[in-house]
Amino acid sequence: MPAIKDLSQLFKDIDDFAEEHFSEEKIQQWCNWGGMPPEVIRAFYQSNLGSYISAENLNKKDSFIYCAALIAHLTRKAGTTLPLLSEVLSFVLLSSLQQYTSPKVFNELVCKDKRIDFCEAFSEPGAGTSAFAIRTEVSSENGQIYLDGEKSFVTSGEFMSRALVLAHDTIYGQYDGGISLWLVDLNQAGVTKCSINTIGQEMTNPSAIIFNHVLLDPDYRIKTQGDLDSVLKRQFNLGRLLVCASSLGLALAAMDDAVHYASKKQSSGKYLYALPQIQEKFADMLSKIKAMQALILNAANLAHKNDSEFVLATSLMKYYVPRAASDVASQALQIFGGVGYTNQIRVSRIWKDCRGNQIAQGTDEVMVHSISKQLIRSYDSVLQTL
Amino acid sequence: MPAIKDLSQLFKDIDDFAEEHFSEEKIQQWCNWGGMPPEVIRAFYQSNLGSYISAENLNKKDSFIYCAALIAHLTRKAGTTLPLLSEVLSFVLLSSLQQYTSPKVFNELVCKDKRIDFCEAFSEPGAGTSAFAIRTEVSSENGQIYLDGEKSFVTSGEFMSRALVLAHDTIYGQYDGGISLWLVDLNQAGVTKCSINTIGQEMTNPSAIIFNHVLLDPDYRIKTQGDLDSVLKRQFNLGRLLVCASSLGLALAAMDDAVHYASKKQSSGKYLYALPQIQEKFADMLSKIKAMQALILNAANLAHKNDSEFVLATSLMKYYVPRAASDVASQALQIFGGVGYTNQIRVSRIWKDCRGNQIAQGTDEVMVHSISKQLIRSYDSVLQTL
Amino acid sequence: MPAIKDLSQLFKDIDDFAEEHFSEEKIQQWCNWGGMPPEVIRAFYQSNLGSYISAENLNKKDSFIYCAALIAHLTRKAGTTLPLLSEVLSFVLLSSLQQYTSPKVFNELVCKDKRIDFCEAFSEPGAGTSAFAIRTEVSSENGQIYLDGEKSFVTSGEFMSRALVLAHDTIYGQYDGGISLWLVDLNQAGVTKCSINTIGQEMTNPSAIIFNHVLLDPDYRIKTQGDLDSVLKRQFNLGRLLVCASSLGLALAAMDDAVHYASKKQSSGKYLYALPQIQEKFADMLSKIKAMQALILNAANLAHKNDSEFVLATSLMKYYVPRAASDVASQALQIFGGVGYTNQIRVSRIWKDCRGNQIAQGTDEVMVHSISKQLIRSYDSVLQTL
Amino acid sequence: MPAIKDLSQLFKDIDDFAEEHFSEEKIQQWCNWGGMPPEVIRAFYQSNLGSYISAENLNKKDSFIYCAALIAHLTRKAGTTLPLLSEVLSFVLLSSLQQYTSPKVFNELVCKDKRIDFCEAFSEPGAGTSAFAIRTEVSSENGQIYLDGEKSFVTSGEFMSRALVLAHDTIYGQYDGGISLWLVDLNQAGVTKCSINTIGQEMTNPSAIIFNHVLLDPDYRIKTQGDLDSVLKRQFNLGRLLVCASSLGLALAAMDDAVHYASKKQSSGKYLYALPQIQEKFADMLSKIKAMQALILNAANLAHKNDSEFVLATSLMKYYVPRAASDVASQALQIFGGVGYTNQIRVSRIWKDCRGNQIAQGTDEVMVHSISKQLIRSYDSVLQTL
């Protein structure tokens, strides 16, 4: 567990950043736009906060504790899912892929101002996060290489000019079990983007991208040499960590608002917080938040290892945290009564945001199998008494 | 319990009506507009369905079984909360109020084409559905009578030219515990309407209405003569019945879609419905739906009596049904995976709609006290073995 | 649904019977003995109650509504699981088997005083209620027929002199998918009985019975002629109905005691029933009991048909009811505080009894598959709106 | 958080102790007897384990982490609630009381062989753990001091010759809000003990003790000088910590057995652990255990402070842990099927034991109020993001 002092400094930096750049009015605007303004993202990278996701810091043993805390606290301040989550994940992917990538290609993955310049086109309609079910296909025709297929839930797909695309590939995929990873220019012929209207998480603005016989340049294949599966698995597990950190931030924001409301608002001459039924909710919400924190810290502490213990920790966390966050948000909404069901408070937005994380990066259902497999395999090491 | 045959005819009529007037595309349009087109509402009244809510039918012993079945099945077909729910409730209120209302006033409550022409302005910000906490005030000044205050969650407030307003009233309210009911013209000076943006139930389009020293005409007071409390209580309890019928319809629509999807869609070569984790969801959803149906039928069967047994039945129903419906919808959404979180399917809309009914017409929390009070009072009659 | 009047008479008869024969002191004695005294069972058959399970009544359309109501109300009065449940089930089995059974054998299944004189030895350790997993084996050796194997959870096994034994049988089982049913004398060589110590349901006193090369008489085989599977399935489904009726009776007994206690007992100057946290429990308990009643009535109403709709109804009931009953009992226990955890009240016994029914006659887990299969198969007929 | 290495040594010592002194056969015997044999308790004190609860160690900053770990792991090995829990608590009380106690009285609180020689007679029928509701009364008559009243749930009351009795006291209690604490010889006239038959936790063997005009010696009053309330509160909070540690140990024992069974036992040719419904249970059980561990560690880490943060931590822990443990045990029992409901496995005993801890040391319901009060009071310090 990191020293409390360290995270305190991080939280203070985030408080300062949020104080300067966030307000509920701006957040609502950004949700309507479907993204954060570039100047705010730039300010993020130029502040102290940017350093936490620099390449050198991402290699440190405890870097993911900081990443998780960063996402959790920033999300708590914003009261909505932030696209910075995928920025951080893309930096993580970048650092994993660097060794397999030529300098030319690598340079195209980042902007001049050091920001990420690609989106991750991994998911497909009906395939979820499983690499095995991918149907986007690499094929050759008259000596040329083509890409066909459809990707969905590509975060920030609309804003990026390039995508890392995961494809079924019988030509180059032999070392990676029949799949391969390509950097694809999204401005070329045959690429169609369309926005996906989700019912929450509006700033993440996911797209579907259709590839209709898009010409590929073999130089832009990431030469993963048999490591692709392991790179993807790590990426998914770290994605789960940050999604859960975001869920925690959402739950805390809902709790903040509900406690604040219950300590100001009266009903029949009594403060809400003094009513036993409200107290029941607070006890339940608080115990869920504490459990969420413990499971996230547990996973973050193992993140530098990437072994089966880390997989169990992230699966267990992903199984529990997003559902618990939805529940916390729903109880907070209920405390507000009728107003809770309107746009006048941010808890209603938080409640909708939370729901998405029960699906993102692997549903609760997918986690169950993973947990049980690891549990049986290494029961003794896993279940220490305290 | 009504003969199955009777409800079958009702369901058939609804199927025909929905076949002709509903389509998912239209429903989405109406949600965007915030209401059903007048010609569809007119068609409803002119069809067989209209007769179920006619004055003579609403006085029959089993009329509320038909009303509940009507709302439930129509909502199931539409896959969203329909403003017809409040139309039906307004007819119910109208039939309760007729005896206290002068013909002149009564005529203004209905349109020429026999449709309702008023909205119910009962709720207030922070007062929920409790008549005791009302702060909208009737006062006299220089021999004139004025109304001041704010009402919220007035369904269809924007479309109606008149409102029935519940007010704190020290002048005329003496027989009714200090409250009174007025028909107020919403087009006069001092009335401001503003739309409330809820996160679901978009066709109901609730408004806030502010009354700023609005002149009242004493002829337009409903002369309830001490019966107002009892009229309101009955109205709230019938409101609970129809809200729960609507929740049931929403849950059934979600179930319909999820079962249909699970019987078509495969994952790793298996139909979804064959996966034990999906089956767990279906078992849970189905048992919740059966319980919802039983509690609604139970309340509807007692609705003609308006005694404490009916109050217990509606409280128990309102405590259980909307929460169970939310849960069914959430499980249905989860079965769709990523698509479930988008506007591409109607289950996501249903999920948002369901949430509102956990608050509308009295929160779960309010019901608990009512249940326990009735339970202790008349335990033996209430808890028959089967 | 049967006329209320009819069940009222049944309930009145049960009240009279319980008044005369039950007292908490006697019930505790019978639990310690592991059975009801023969004279009480005899009195049951000689009272009005006995007629409800007579052969002619069991063939009527609504007989299982009466059986379920009988078990539920009698159990509610006793506050524990009664061995009469298996008596009733045995009568049901008897009426199913009569057509396949020679008069000689049939006469040995009933005592002179018309009571049942056999136990059902169907379950096996590790095979649950599934007939396919049976390992008790019929074999032939030197022209003789032998039985070898072990049966478990044989209710009243210790008191009966004969058992109906289900066995894997390659000799006579060809028409019944390799299984057959035998009436076996338990007093002959090779039969060993031993008591199973369950943690509740003490009056049912289940035994394990070991058959070590027990000689069989082919005359005592029930000649089911290919109908055995269907007879067994019906028996299991009716078993589920009565087990659920018993669960309902237990839950009602717990509710009775908790409501009575909460209306007498004060804490810090307030009656327990006036405390919001107790009221929450009552609301939850009551909604569960109403759901239990609806699911049991639903299944009982279909019991004369034995079609797939009945199977769905019993599976759904068995999935929901025993778990809900455990929950009701646990909440009742909690209302009693420290005393709830002692033998001074019957709720603690009820709580232990309830747990067993989550396993008896097929676990919750087994039901899930059955529900989903029927649901997909006949969705439209199953899910009427109201 | 203590270094893992330290707890590893503790766990190893416990493993050795359990290896030598525990076996399922012995545990069952001790449950039947209602206590551990004196020689085993003596062996405990003479082993390394005894030192963890010595006076000097109990004053160290992290002593309660060791105590909690000790109780949790020892309980996990035994698979039942151990009376050592109250021994440890009595040592804790002893170290709190030493400063208020004359050497003469202090010497009578411990045996010659340094074991505890008193029981804690605090609870009363109907008063739970609240000191304010106590009705046992100190009175004076003819210059003599007498004690009258009834205490319940006195652990090991039968084995001890002295009790520390909490009483309402208008004579000596003025500095302590009207209550006082006395060491009472249980062998004198007017004392009656009777055993309370609980439905689990059999080794703790609680008694009711009735004091009928028992003569008190003022020298044997503990002279708490206004600190009694604070001493009792600390004692209750530490009691909650150890009860929760015991619940954790029980849950782990159930998990151990269920995982072991599921990895050996097959159903229809598949290992149980490979069945999705079993996997669901494991995922849920594991997430609950992790949450339990986090909440216990959290409270144990604050135990040396005794401030409002510690009270919040113990309340939250007590609210969550025992209920979660019951749930884990119930799921484990279900995995065993029919055998789970019998005495053939220890999970059935664990399930019954767990239930008691939902009531012991303050019900879930009592915790809710405490949590909410502390939460509102010091929200910011309490709810750090990670």
Side-chain angles (χ1 to χ4, degrees), chain B residues 148-159:
Chain B
D148 286 87
E150 181 179 349
K151 292 290 177 180
S152 66
F153 291 101
V154 182
T155 302
S156 303
E158 224 169 306
F159 303 132

Side-chain angles (χ1 to χ4, degrees), chain B residues 207-221:
Chain B
S207 301
I209 305 183
I210 298 164
F211 300 96
N212 184 9
H213 229 54
V214 169
L215 195 64
L216 294 179
D217 176 348
D219 283 356
Y220 283 76
R221 189 172 65 84

Side-chain angles (χ1 to χ4, degrees), chain B residues 18-84:
Chain B
E19 178 74 26
E20 188 179 343
H21 297 285
F22 291 175
S23 73
E24 178 55 16
E25 201 189 339
K26 286 183 198 165
I27 296 287
Q28 285 182 20
Q29 275 182 351
W30 304 347
C31 284
N32 288 339
W33 292 343
M36 286 173 85
E39 65 272 18
V40 178
I41 298 184
R42 214 173 298 124
F44 172 82
Y45 284 111
Q46 287 162 0
S47 74
N48 283 346
L49 301 177
S51 69
Y52 288 99
I53 54 172
S54 66
E56 63 265 37
N57 272 323
L58 283 178
N59 288 324
K60 289 187 186 156
K61 184 167 176 298
D62 53 7
S63 58
F64 290 102
I65 296 168
Y66 287 98
C67 284
L70 173 71
I71 293 296
H73 199 62
L74 209 55
T75 304
R76 182 181 187 176
K77 287 289 160 187
T80 195
T81 311
L82 293 168
L84 287 169

Side-chain angles (χ1 to χ4, degrees), chain A residues 126 153 196-201 265 277 281 330 334 337-338 341-343 351-352 355-356 358-359 365 368, chain B residues 126 153 197-201 265 277 281 330 334 337-338 341-343 351-353 355-356 358-359 365 368:
Chain A
F153 291 101
I196 297 176
N197 289 314
T198 49
I199 55 174
Q201 306 198 354
K265 170 85 181 174
Q277 288 177 306
K281 287 195 205 310
S330 182
Q334 193 73 12
Y341 196 59
T342 71
N343 289 345
W351 174 71
K352 290 189 294 176
R355 190 63 184 82
Q358 290 181 243
I359 298 168
E365 290 69 30
V368 163
Chain B
F153 291 101
N197 289 312
T198 50
I199 54 174
Q201 306 200 351
K265 168 84 181 175
Q277 289 177 306
K281 288 194 206 310
S330 181
Q334 193 73 12
Y341 196 60
T342 72
N343 288 345
W351 174 72
K352 288 189 294 176
D353 272 37
R355 190 64 184 83
Q358 290 181 244
I359 298 168
E365 289 70 29
V368 163

